[in-house]
Amino acid sequence: MKCFNLLLAFVVTFVGLVKSEFIYSCTENKTIALTFDDGPHKYTKEFVDYIVDEHPDVKVTFFHVGRFHYPFAIDVQEYQDAMKKAHDNGLQIASHTYEHKISNDTNEFKEALDTMDDFIEKVTGDRPRYFRAPKGHCDEECQAALDEWDYRLIQWDSDTNDWDLKTSGSIEQRVQDSIEFLKGKFAEEKDSYLILMHDSQNYTVRDIAPWIIEKSGMKEKGYRFVTVAECLGDKSGMYRSGKTYGDVAPKMVPGNETASSITGNSVERSAPSTSSAFATSKSLTLLPYVCLGLISTLLLSMF
């Protein structure tokens, strides 16, 4: 009986540790996910126009806040128009909290997340499933809550430190420092890259990001610039609606059950019925716990 109680306590404790895992890197080969935190701000429209109008094959991800840099995004129509244009053209809109902070109170945290998701839905028509914590700080309680609420918790594997003017001493040097850092990273020719930047910085929008897209040589090496969801093989999972946007209209194939409707140059597609790669990954994450349960059952049958 003592062995049984110890084993049961171990199983309960182990299963209780299930939480939303940080995602640091992409899983799809030859992909680069450019991510931008802390917007929308006064440079976001300029950057969205640059991507959509000049580089329509490039997709990026924005982790937005509602109230952070003044004037606040919730009060500025231009910022919201940029969000909408980005969304409709296949760029990903994700949550970075409502006020760039996470409350230690779970109920307050959930309320703030809902408020931000409400804002994003009001502007774009979709609720996000992807989330990045401010400064990447999310403790185990935070992770467990996000898992319960079905969010994908995104970090990064390449930090440009584009916000850090103090260390560099000037804008010009900051740009150079970020580019030199990226040159070193890109020289490694890793399978993929998940890069952190901020569209609240004008030199990021006008210098660092354009250098990556136009001058880094990564396109020539066969890399694709995609959203975070796409770099994880979870394109239809970026929003809770399961819809994707900005795709090239698919050819009609007999027996193809994927519905699509075209509005202007944007294609809205419903999610396929098959499970996403992320769902599969999450199932694999839970596999050890399932196995542990089976082993426990076998051991208990021996008593």
Side-chain angles (χ1 to χ4, degrees):
M1 181 59 68
K2 183 180 290 186
C3 290
F4 169 77
N5 290 336
L6 288 173
L7 184 59
L8 182 61
F10 175 73
V11 171
V12 171
T13 300
F14 196 68
V15 173
L17 293 176
V18 177
K19 59 183 182 296
S20 182
E21 296 293 335
F22 283 117
I23 297 173
Y24 290 91
S25 298
C26 300
T27 58
E28 296 295 300
N29 192 38
K30 288 286 186 177
T31 58
I32 299 176
L34 302 180
T35 68
F36 299 86
D37 290 8
D38 296 354
H41 198 44
K42 56 185 177 181
Y43 311 113
T44 304
K45 179 183 182 301
E46 176 183 339
F47 186 59
V48 170
D49 288 345
Y50 165 76
I51 294 293
V52 172
D53 299 339
E54 298 182 37
H55 298 278
D57 59 322
V58 172
K59 306 300 179 187
V60 304
T61 300
F62 295 100
F63 288 93
H64 279 335
V65 290
R67 289 173 52 89
F68 185 37
H69 294 294
Y70 187 82
F72 302 135
I74 59 171
D75 299 322
V76 182
Q77 188 61 47
E78 178 184 295
Y79 299 177
Q80 296 172 31
D81 290 343
M83 289 174 63
K84 178 64 172 171
K85 181 174 181 177
H87 167 274
D88 290 355
N89 285 276
L91 283 63
Q92 184 174 356
I93 306 296
S95 174
H96 195 43
T97 73
Y98 186 60
E99 295 182 303
H100 205 260
K101 61 184 180 182
I102 293 177
S103 173
N104 291 326
D105 181 279
T106 302
N107 291 329
E108 291 181 358
F109 180 25
K110 183 62 165 66
E111 183 179 355
L113 278 180
D114 287 343
T115 300
M116 186 61 198
D117 290 358
D118 288 345
F119 171 58
I120 292 175
E121 183 177 31
K122 177 183 177 183
V123 173
T124 68
D126 276 299
R127 299 182 75 80
R129 184 174 272 123
Y130 280 65
F131 175 83
R132 175 177 282 160
K135 300 181 180 179
H137 296 164
C138 181
D139 61 21
E140 289 196 354
E141 185 176 352
C142 165
Q143 294 173 51
L146 289 170
D147 181 74
E148 178 183 347
W149 303 330
D150 191 29
Y151 284 91
R152 279 70 159 162
L153 181 56
I154 307 301
Q155 295 289 83
W156 55 86
D157 58 28
S158 303
D159 186 355
T160 63
N161 286 306
D162 58 338
W163 57 271
D164 190 5
L165 279 176
K166 184 177 181 180
T167 299
S168 297
S170 68
I171 290 177
E172 292 76 12
Q173 190 59 48
R174 179 65 265 165
V175 170
Q176 190 60 33
D177 289 346
S178 293
I179 288 176
E180 288 302 317
F181 164 78
L182 289 167
K183 283 181 178 179
K185 284 288 185 179
F186 290 157
E188 299 173 10
E189 296 191 28
K190 300 194 304 177
D191 290 340
S192 61
Y193 296 85
L194 207 170
I195 301 174
L196 171 63
M197 290 179 282
H198 298 78
D199 54 312
S200 54
Q201 306 295 339
N202 64 341
Y203 50 86
T204 296
V205 166
R206 296 168 182 170
D207 297 298
I208 300 174
W211 177 85
I212 296 172
I213 294 168
E214 298 178 25
K215 300 179 181 179
S216 68
M218 298 306 279
K219 275 188 178 181
E220 290 74 10
K221 292 179 180 179
Y223 287 86
R224 297 178 297 120
F225 294 104
V226 299
T227 63
V228 172
E230 188 172 358
C231 91
L232 293 171
D234 185 42
K235 188 173 183 179
S236 64
M238 70 174 71
Y239 302 118
R240 298 195 181 276
S241 67
K243 296 176 180 177
T244 62
Y245 303 84
D247 300 320
V248 176
K251 293 181 179 180
M252 296 302 295
V253 179
N256 187 344
E257 297 179 357
T258 300
S260 65
S261 60
I262 305 176
T263 305
N265 294 324
S266 177
V267 178
E268 177 184 312
R269 302 181 63 191
S270 62
S273 59
T274 56
S275 300
S276 69
F278 187 91
T280 302
S281 175
K282 192 167 185 179
S283 297
L284 291 175
T285 300
L286 294 175
L287 184 59
Y289 309 117
V290 175
C291 292
L292 182 62
L294 293 173
I295 293 171
S296 300
T297 303
L298 291 173
L299 289 174
L300 291 174
S301 67
M302 297 172 63
F303 289 95

